[in-house]
Amino acid sequence: KQEVTQIPAALSVPEGENLVLNCSFTDSAIYNLQWFRQDPGKGLTSLLLIQSSQREQTSGRLNASLDKSSGRSTLYIAASQPGDSATYLCAVRPGGSQGNLIFGKGTKLSVKP
Amino acid sequence: DAGVIQSPRHEVTEMGQEVTLRCKPISGHDYLFWYRQTMMRGLELLIYFNNNVPIDDSGMPEDRFSAKMPNASFSTLKIQPSEPRDSAVYFCASRPGLNEQFFGPGTRLTVL
């Protein structure tokens, strides 16, 4: 059974720091991996989607990498800003599955001015 | 596109009442998902549809929960009768094929 773990559960950094959020999954047979952002009381906003054949994806100050063989993904945020404060969730789609995303419990990021 | 639309955004009801949550997926998306989010359990998939057909409803907690998708632009999640433990945020999401998934803003349900 696929399980997704995100460590740490919470992270607090000063503004301007570069930071890395971690995601690990137990079964390397995935179709793709998606990173989301969730602001308090809001829905999930898709940040990046990495297909299983890809190593990384970039969008602005965000860079997500995927190492399928080791069951790991990282989300790199450059020059963090207070507006980046949110919960970041990682989700994998198991290979051969047309449906469900398996979610981690998220990392709550706080960027202090 | 307006994104995934959910209504109502907030619902407060009393135990035993029927609750109906509504979702309009993004046009052209052939997959639709219903999730529930709580502090204790995180995000849980309840049911998903492909081309309006329910594919996997193994996450539906019990017979009190039902979901329908009468056409490609509308789905409902119904709870009857509602119980306090059903209090959560319910999200609808849609997806084109096996690509990026998009979530609605959620419905915050409180059952007193």
Side-chain angles (χ1 to χ4, degrees):
Chain A
K1 178 187 172 186
Q2 178 74 268
E3 293 183 359
V4 180
T5 303
Q6 292 185 249
I7 296 174
L11 180 64
S12 181
V13 300
E15 181 177 4
E17 268 201 13
N18 302 324
L19 60 100
V20 173
L21 306 180
N22 296 297
C23 171
S24 61
F25 45 95
T26 54
D27 188 342
S28 62
I30 65 168
Y31 187 83
N32 57 36
L33 182 147
Q34 197 166 350
W35 282 93
F36 294 87
R37 167 187 173 140
Q38 186 174 26
D39 293 280
K42 306 285 187 181
L44 280 70
T45 300
S46 178
L47 297 175
L48 290 163
L49 173 73
I50 311 179
Q51 302 291 351
S52 62
S53 59
Q54 297 175 319
R55 296 286 292 183
E56 64 180 317
Q57 281 285 342
T58 298
S59 176
R61 293 182 295 107
L62 305 179
N63 175 277
S65 68
L66 174 64
D67 184 343
K68 213 172 61 162
S69 61
S70 67
R72 293 181 183 177
S73 176
T74 61
L75 180 66
Y76 174 83
I77 303 176
S80 58
Q81 303 169 358
D84 295 329
S85 298
T87 296
Y88 291 80
L89 295 114
C90 162
V92 301
R93 176 165 297 111
S97 164
Q98 63 170 328
N100 195 20
L101 284 174
I102 311 296
F103 281 86
K105 294 216 181 319
T107 294
K108 186 174 182 179
L109 173 65
S110 176
V111 181
K112 306 291 187 186
Chain B
D1 199 317
V4 177
I5 298 172
Q6 291 187 247
S7 65
R9 294 294 311 279
H10 302 273
E11 176 81 30
V12 180
T13 191
E14 292 189 348
M15 184 173 64
Q17 296 298 305
E18 177 179 295
V19 175
T20 299
L21 311 182
R22 297 173 176 80
C23 175
K24 177 178 168 56
I26 294 172
S27 177
H29 286 195
D30 54 342
Y31 284 87
L32 183 139
F33 303 81
W34 282 101
Y35 290 86
R36 177 171 67 176
Q37 186 177 41
T38 61
M39 289 291 292
M40 291 291 292
R41 300 171 70 93
L43 263 171
E44 303 175 278
L45 176 71
L46 300 176
I47 185 172
Y48 77 91
F49 297 82
N50 178 221
N51 291 321
N52 312 337
V53 176
I55 303 299
D56 184 355
D57 65 355
S58 59
M60 297 285 262
E62 47 201 272
D63 292 345
R64 297 184 298 107
F65 285 68
S66 62
K68 294 182 180 179
M69 192 165 185
N71 56 61
S73 59
F74 184 65
S75 177
T76 59
L77 177 68
K78 186 176 293 186
I79 308 172
Q80 166 64 21
S82 57
E83 297 183 2
R85 60 192 169 118
D86 301 331
S87 298
V89 181
Y90 291 81
F91 289 105
C92 177
S94 71
R95 193 184 81 204
L98 298 179
N99 296 309
E100 199 172 0
Q101 190 159 312
F102 296 88
F103 280 73
T107 295
R108 182 173 296 276
L109 173 65
T110 302
V111 183
L112 302 174

Short mmCIF file of all heavy atoms in Angstrom, two decimals, chain A residues 56-83:
data_model
loop_
_atom_site.label_atom_id
_atom_site.label_comp_id
_atom_site.label_asym_id
_atom_site.label_seq_id
_atom_site.Cartn_x
_atom_site.Cartn_y
_atom_site.Cartn_z
N GLU A 56 12.71 16.81 -12.83
CA GLU A 56 12.37 18.03 -12.13
C GLU A 56 11.45 18.90 -12.96
O GLU A 56 11.33 18.73 -14.19
CB GLU A 56 13.62 18.82 -11.74
CG GLU A 56 14.45 19.34 -12.88
CD GLU A 56 15.67 20.11 -12.36
OE1 GLU A 56 15.51 20.90 -11.40
OE2 GLU A 56 16.75 19.93 -12.91
N GLN A 57 10.80 19.82 -12.24
CA GLN A 57 9.95 20.83 -12.87
C GLN A 57 10.18 22.14 -12.14
O GLN A 57 10.40 22.15 -10.92
CB GLN A 57 8.47 20.43 -12.76
CG GLN A 57 8.00 19.40 -13.75
CD GLN A 57 7.83 19.96 -15.14
OE1 GLN A 57 7.75 21.16 -15.36
NE2 GLN A 57 7.79 19.06 -16.12
N THR A 58 10.09 23.23 -12.90
CA THR A 58 10.34 24.55 -12.31
C THR A 58 9.20 25.49 -12.66
O THR A 58 8.66 25.45 -13.77
CB THR A 58 11.66 25.13 -12.84
OG1 THR A 58 12.73 24.27 -12.43
CG2 THR A 58 11.91 26.51 -12.29
N SER A 59 8.86 26.33 -11.68
CA SER A 59 7.89 27.39 -11.91
C SER A 59 8.26 28.57 -11.02
O SER A 59 8.12 28.51 -9.80
CB SER A 59 6.47 26.91 -11.57
OG SER A 59 5.54 27.97 -11.70
N GLY A 60 8.80 29.60 -11.65
CA GLY A 60 9.21 30.77 -10.89
C GLY A 60 10.27 30.44 -9.86
O GLY A 60 11.32 29.88 -10.18
N ARG A 61 9.98 30.74 -8.58
CA ARG A 61 10.94 30.46 -7.51
C ARG A 61 10.85 29.02 -6.98
O ARG A 61 11.55 28.67 -6.04
CB ARG A 61 10.69 31.44 -6.34
CG ARG A 61 11.00 32.89 -6.67
CD ARG A 61 10.79 33.83 -5.47
NE ARG A 61 9.41 33.89 -5.05
CZ ARG A 61 8.94 33.33 -3.94
NH1 ARG A 61 9.75 32.66 -3.12
NH2 ARG A 61 7.67 33.44 -3.62
N LEU A 62 9.99 28.23 -7.58
CA LEU A 62 9.79 26.86 -7.12
C LEU A 62 10.47 25.87 -8.07
O LEU A 62 10.39 26.03 -9.28
CB LEU A 62 8.30 26.53 -7.07
CG LEU A 62 7.40 27.44 -6.23
CD1 LEU A 62 5.96 26.96 -6.31
CD2 LEU A 62 7.86 27.51 -4.81
N ASN A 63 11.10 24.87 -7.45
CA ASN A 63 11.68 23.78 -8.23
C ASN A 63 11.39 22.48 -7.51
O ASN A 63 11.71 22.33 -6.33
CB ASN A 63 13.19 23.98 -8.39
CG ASN A 63 13.85 22.81 -9.10
OD1 ASN A 63 14.16 21.79 -8.47
ND2 ASN A 63 14.05 22.94 -10.39
N ALA A 64 10.77 21.55 -8.22
CA ALA A 64 10.47 20.25 -7.63
C ALA A 64 11.30 19.20 -8.33
O ALA A 64 11.39 19.19 -9.56
CB ALA A 64 8.99 19.93 -7.75
N SER A 65 11.89 18.31 -7.55
CA SER A 65 12.67 17.22 -8.12
C SER A 65 12.02 15.90 -7.76
O SER A 65 11.27 15.80 -6.78
CB SER A 65 14.10 17.26 -7.58
OG SER A 65 14.09 16.95 -6.20
N LEU A 66 12.33 14.89 -8.55
CA LEU A 66 11.79 13.55 -8.31
C LEU A 66 12.89 12.52 -8.50
O LEU A 66 13.55 12.49 -9.54
CB LEU A 66 10.63 13.26 -9.28
CG LEU A 66 10.05 11.85 -9.24
CD1 LEU A 66 9.41 11.56 -7.89
CD2 LEU A 66 9.03 11.66 -10.38
N ASP A 67 13.07 11.68 -7.47
CA ASP A 67 13.96 10.53 -7.56
C ASP A 67 13.09 9.31 -7.28
O ASP A 67 12.89 8.92 -6.13
CB ASP A 67 15.10 10.64 -6.55
CG ASP A 67 16.09 9.51 -6.68
OD1 ASP A 67 15.76 8.48 -7.31
OD2 ASP A 67 17.20 9.61 -6.14
N LYS A 68 12.58 8.74 -8.36
CA LYS A 68 11.61 7.67 -8.22
C LYS A 68 12.21 6.44 -7.55
O LYS A 68 11.59 5.80 -6.70
CB LYS A 68 11.06 7.31 -9.60
CG LYS A 68 9.63 6.85 -9.61
CD LYS A 68 9.12 6.69 -11.00
CE LYS A 68 9.87 5.66 -11.80
NZ LYS A 68 9.13 5.20 -12.98
N SER A 69 13.44 6.13 -7.90
CA SER A 69 14.04 4.90 -7.39
C SER A 69 14.22 4.92 -5.88
O SER A 69 14.13 3.89 -5.21
CB SER A 69 15.38 4.65 -8.08
OG SER A 69 16.27 5.72 -7.81
N SER A 70 14.48 6.12 -5.34
CA SER A 70 14.64 6.21 -3.89
C SER A 70 13.35 6.63 -3.20
O SER A 70 13.32 6.75 -1.97
CB SER A 70 15.75 7.21 -3.55
OG SER A 70 15.37 8.51 -3.91
N GLY A 71 12.30 6.86 -3.97
CA GLY A 71 11.01 7.23 -3.38
C GLY A 71 11.02 8.60 -2.74
O GLY A 71 10.46 8.77 -1.64
N ARG A 72 11.63 9.59 -3.41
CA ARG A 72 11.73 10.91 -2.82
C ARG A 72 11.45 12.02 -3.82
O ARG A 72 11.78 11.93 -5.00
CB ARG A 72 13.13 11.14 -2.23
CG ARG A 72 13.43 10.27 -1.05
CD ARG A 72 14.81 10.56 -0.49
NE ARG A 72 15.11 9.67 0.62
CZ ARG A 72 16.25 9.65 1.27
NH1 ARG A 72 17.22 10.50 0.93
NH2 ARG A 72 16.45 8.82 2.26
N SER A 73 10.87 13.08 -3.27
CA SER A 73 10.71 14.32 -4.03
C SER A 73 11.02 15.47 -3.08
O SER A 73 10.79 15.38 -1.87
CB SER A 73 9.29 14.45 -4.57
OG SER A 73 9.12 15.70 -5.22
N THR A 74 11.56 16.54 -3.64
CA THR A 74 11.80 17.74 -2.85
C THR A 74 11.19 18.93 -3.56
O THR A 74 11.15 18.98 -4.80
CB THR A 74 13.29 18.01 -2.63
OG1 THR A 74 13.93 18.18 -3.89
CG2 THR A 74 13.96 16.87 -1.88
N LEU A 75 10.72 19.86 -2.79
CA LEU A 75 10.25 21.14 -3.30
C LEU A 75 11.18 22.22 -2.77
O LEU A 75 11.27 22.42 -1.56
CB LEU A 75 8.81 21.42 -2.87
CG LEU A 75 8.23 22.75 -3.37
CD1 LEU A 75 8.08 22.74 -4.89
CD2 LEU A 75 6.88 23.04 -2.72
N TYR A 76 11.87 22.87 -3.68
CA TYR A 76 12.82 23.91 -3.33
C TYR A 76 12.16 25.26 -3.56
O TYR A 76 11.62 25.52 -4.65
CB TYR A 76 14.07 23.76 -4.20
CG TYR A 76 15.11 24.84 -4.05
CD1 TYR A 76 16.04 24.80 -3.02
CD2 TYR A 76 15.17 25.90 -4.95
CE1 TYR A 76 17.00 25.80 -2.89
CE2 TYR A 76 16.12 26.89 -4.84
CZ TYR A 76 17.04 26.83 -3.81
OH TYR A 76 18.00 27.81 -3.67
N ILE A 77 12.19 26.11 -2.52
CA ILE A 77 11.65 27.46 -2.64
C ILE A 77 12.80 28.44 -2.47
O ILE A 77 13.46 28.46 -1.41
CB ILE A 77 10.55 27.73 -1.59
CG1 ILE A 77 9.43 26.71 -1.71
CG2 ILE A 77 10.00 29.15 -1.76
CD1 ILE A 77 8.34 26.85 -0.64
N ALA A 78 13.06 29.23 -3.47
CA ALA A 78 14.15 30.19 -3.43
C ALA A 78 13.66 31.53 -2.89
O ALA A 78 12.53 31.95 -3.14
CB ALA A 78 14.72 30.39 -4.83
N ALA A 79 14.54 32.17 -2.13
CA ALA A 79 14.28 33.53 -1.63
C ALA A 79 12.87 33.64 -1.04
O ALA A 79 12.02 34.39 -1.54
CB ALA A 79 14.48 34.55 -2.75
N SER A 80 12.63 32.89 0.02
CA SER A 80 11.28 32.78 0.58
C SER A 80 10.74 34.15 1.01
O SER A 80 11.49 35.06 1.41
CB SER A 80 11.28 31.82 1.76
OG SER A 80 12.19 32.25 2.75
N GLN A 81 9.41 34.27 0.91
CA GLN A 81 8.71 35.51 1.25
C GLN A 81 7.58 35.20 2.22
O GLN A 81 7.07 34.07 2.24
CB GLN A 81 8.12 36.13 -0.02
CG GLN A 81 9.11 36.41 -1.11
CD GLN A 81 8.46 36.78 -2.42
OE1 GLN A 81 7.24 36.81 -2.55
NE2 GLN A 81 9.29 37.09 -3.41
N PRO A 82 7.14 36.17 3.02
CA PRO A 82 6.02 35.90 3.94
C PRO A 82 4.79 35.36 3.22
O PRO A 82 4.05 34.55 3.78
CB PRO A 82 5.76 37.28 4.55
CG PRO A 82 7.09 37.95 4.54
CD PRO A 82 7.74 37.50 3.26
N GLY A 83 4.58 35.75 1.98
CA GLY A 83 3.45 35.25 1.21
C GLY A 83 3.54 33.78 0.86
O GLY A 83 2.56 33.18 0.40
#
